[in-house]
Amino acid sequence: MIESESRDCNEGEEYVGLVDFVAEGDEQRLHLEMLSDKPRTETYRQVILSNSAALREKVVLDLGCGTGVISLFCALLAKPAGVYAVEASSMAEHTEELVKQNGCDGVVTVFQERAENLTLPTKVDVLVSEWMGNCLLFEYMLESVLLARDRWLKKGGMMWPSSACLTIVPCQAFSDYRQKVEFWENPYGLNFSYLQSLAQKEFLSKPKFSHHLQPEDCLSTPADVITLDMVTIQVSDLERLKGEFTFTVEKSGMFHGFTVWFSAHFQCLEEDGPSIELNTGPYSEITHWKQTLFMLDAPVSVEEGDIIAGSIRLQRNPIWRRHLSITFLWNINSTEVSTVKTKCFPMWR
């Protein structure tokens, strides 16, 4: 029998507060956050710069271009035959002005259209997009990228990113557990322990976005558990993805939960050329994604040499298609099914 730590992960539940519309002020803040993310933006710039010779006279599709920064990098650094900058939101109107302001309107053409309804003058040699969300898939912009790939990328064309990996590690989270759970034991000299179970349900049943994991809180070496090949993956594959893990605890401590992040890899256009990686993990320069923390209902003491084994499953929500649930199954130092624990986290904002 598998022991469940949480059973409130209803695949069809109607998420309160879901808003598909983004107000203009929020959109401006979003683009500011992304442009201010230097590791993210510099990675895309380096990809274009390092492939500038190979990109000459190529046609590039920048899907979900936002402010058009990647399109501008292409036009100014690589001299392609043309760049199609595609943005579904009203931001496209501002992007068109930015393209003109930077003298790139002879190369970059802006299309305000959804990928599903897109019509382009020609197929493209390269499809570039910054589609990654928290835990790689959140918001599922990847579906639009794959639809555009199937329709508009030439045979043998390049996808950027070319592949992406989901990485996890068992971790300590003393500060979060102290703030969210232990706080209720004796605030201001009062016994509020009655509220601890409510606090656990409220705070520990949801993932913590924008978590900044300190490397010293990793209990083991991180592991890539899911890898997406952007050439071969299909839209149907996104419905359910699963990865398995086996961690050897490298230092004694408290096992509070799992931390998750992703990396994206950009293959060189020239054969045997170096690839470039964007890594959002705790051992790399911090990005606006940071990491995502998934906490157990109660911490477990672990010793050096202990084995934490199990799996992670990403299940797309059948109703709210931009959202998903993430389920962890794990046990410690055992192969018995009766000792397996499971916890499911609905993931939305």
Side-chain angles (χ1 to χ4, degrees):
M1 179 178 179
I2 296 177
E3 182 180 347
S4 176
E5 288 209 342
S6 177
R7 295 184 176 85
D8 55 2
C9 189
N10 185 347
E11 295 293 350
E13 88 178 270
E14 297 186 7
Y15 296 126
V16 177
L18 171 62
V19 179
D20 289 323
F21 166 77
V22 179
E24 186 172 351
D26 292 334
E27 189 172 40
Q28 295 290 336
R29 284 189 290 273
L30 175 65
H31 288 296
L32 175 61
E33 180 183 44
M34 290 190 291
L35 285 172
S36 300
D37 184 341
K38 190 173 180 180
R40 164 202 177 268
T41 308
E42 274 294 333
T43 296
Y44 278 89
R45 182 178 179 276
Q46 285 302 315
V47 169
I48 303 305
L49 189 60
S50 64
N51 287 276
S52 58
L55 279 170
R56 188 176 292 272
E57 298 307 316
K58 295 288 196 298
V59 180
V60 179
L61 168 57
D62 177 9
L63 189 68
C65 68
T67 58
V69 63
I70 299 174
S71 295
L72 293 173
F73 287 157
C74 288
L76 294 171
L77 300 176
K79 310 300 181 187
V83 179
Y84 302 143
V86 178
E87 173 59 41
S89 76
S90 60
M91 186 68 201
E93 300 171 18
H94 306 302
T95 304
E96 202 157 16
E97 293 302 316
L98 291 171
V99 168
K100 293 176 183 176
Q101 193 172 57
N102 284 274
C104 296
D105 47 321
V107 179
V108 179
T109 305
V110 179
F111 296 82
Q112 184 176 353
E113 189 57 88
R114 293 172 56 86
E116 294 79 358
N117 304 321
L118 183 61
T119 300
L120 297 176
T122 181
K123 289 196 172 186
V124 302
D125 300 287
V126 177
L127 194 166
V128 60
S129 181
E130 194 273 82
W131 51 264
M132 300 81 73
N134 294 99
C135 295
L136 192 58
L137 290 182
F138 185 58
E139 294 187 333
Y140 284 92
M141 183 181 167
L142 179 54
E143 178 176 357
S144 297
V145 174
L146 298 183
L147 292 173
R149 177 201 66 186
D150 293 345
R151 187 173 180 190
W152 295 110
L153 186 65
K154 292 178 182 177
K155 186 176 181 180
M158 178 62 72
M159 294 287 291
W160 282 336
S162 313
S163 63
C165 294
L166 189 72
T167 306
I168 74 171
V169 69
C171 66
Q172 301 183 132
F174 284 105
S175 178
D176 289 274
Y177 192 76
R178 191 178 300 118
Q179 292 173 14
K180 300 296 193 298
V181 179
E182 291 181 350
F183 168 83
W184 302 100
E185 291 177 0
N186 192 34
Y188 308 104
L190 302 172
N191 185 353
F192 271 40
S193 58
Y194 169 79
L195 294 178
Q196 269 191 324
S197 60
L198 296 176
Q200 285 178 316
K201 184 176 181 180
E202 172 64 23
F203 297 118
L204 305 187
S205 64
K206 305 169 186 175
K208 179 193 174 188
F209 296 102
S210 298
H211 179 63
H212 188 193
L213 177 66
Q214 299 298 323
E216 59 267 26
D217 284 329
C218 295
L219 291 170
S220 181
T221 300
D224 295 336
V225 290
I226 294 173
T227 300
L228 307 182
D229 183 331
M230 293 301 296
V231 173
T232 60
I233 189 170
Q234 301 298 312
V235 172
S236 59
D237 297 332
L238 303 181
E239 294 300 318
R240 177 172 170 156
L241 293 168
K242 183 179 179 181
E244 297 183 346
F245 54 80
T246 300
F247 293 106
T248 300
V249 174
E250 296 174 358
K251 64 177 182 180
S252 300
M254 295 300 295
F255 174 31
H256 285 102
F258 297 96
T259 297
V260 178
W261 63 89
F262 69 85
S263 58
H265 308 268
F266 300 79
Q267 185 179 337
C268 184
L269 281 170
E270 296 179 347
E271 191 173 355
D272 299 325
S275 63
I276 293 176
E277 180 188 68
L278 170 63
N279 194 305
T280 64
Y283 298 94
S284 301
E285 190 175 354
I286 195 166
T287 68
H288 77 280
W289 290 284
K290 300 186 178 70
Q291 296 90 46
T292 305
L293 172 65
F294 299 84
M295 295 189 71
L296 312 183
D297 286 345
V300 179
S301 178
V302 291
E303 301 294 329
E304 182 180 352
D306 284 350
I307 303 297
I308 302 173
S311 65
I312 178 174
R313 185 181 72 235
L314 283 67
Q315 181 79 47
R316 194 173 186 182
N317 190 282
I319 298 175
W320 304 109
R321 301 295 283 162
R322 293 172 64 189
H323 301 167
L324 71 155
S325 64
I326 295 185
T327 302
F328 293 89
L329 283 83
W330 75 94
N331 60 33
I332 303 173
N333 296 331
S334 176
T335 58
E336 297 293 327
V337 175
S338 60
T339 65
V340 174
K341 295 199 173 190
T342 180
K343 186 168 183 180
C344 181
F345 297 83
M347 210 170 159
W348 74 93
R349 279 187 172 177

